[in-house]
Amino acid sequence: MSVADVVQQLGAANGWSEDEVLQDTKELMRNRLRTVRDLRRMTAQGWSELSSLLPVVKDLLRQAIQ
């Protein structure tokens, strides 16, 4: 599954605007995080270095990929 699909689903479930979803997706793609598999491979330090994502976005993403 693509990261864009996951972010889109999270956005729909949490009332995020299309712009917010797009910005979060762009940031993940900029860091070459394109699939759920890519996210699952990230270490705790990798997650902490995604500083442009809001903490709630990171938390929800981590929950969604488990």
Side-chain angles (χ1 to χ4, degrees):
M1 178 179 255
S2 78
V3 168
D5 291 337
V6 175
V7 175
Q8 188 72 32
Q9 290 175 1
L10 289 173
N14 291 286
W16 300 343
S17 71
E18 287 183 34
D19 186 53
E20 291 169 328
V21 170
L22 182 61
Q23 292 298 343
D24 291 341
T25 301
K26 282 182 180 179
E27 180 60 24
L28 292 164
M29 296 295 173
R30 188 181 70 75
N31 286 284
R32 297 184 183 157
L33 299 168
R34 295 178 179 97
T35 66
V36 169
R37 184 177 176 188
D38 295 337
L39 292 176
R40 287 181 178 153
R41 289 180 175 170
M42 288 182 56
T43 64
Q45 181 178 349
W47 281 100
S48 68
E49 291 177 5
L50 289 174
S51 59
S52 61
L53 289 178
L54 294 174
V56 69
V57 175
K58 289 190 271 189
D59 290 345
L60 290 171
L61 273 172
R62 290 176 96 170
Q63 290 173 8
I65 63 171
Q66 291 182 6

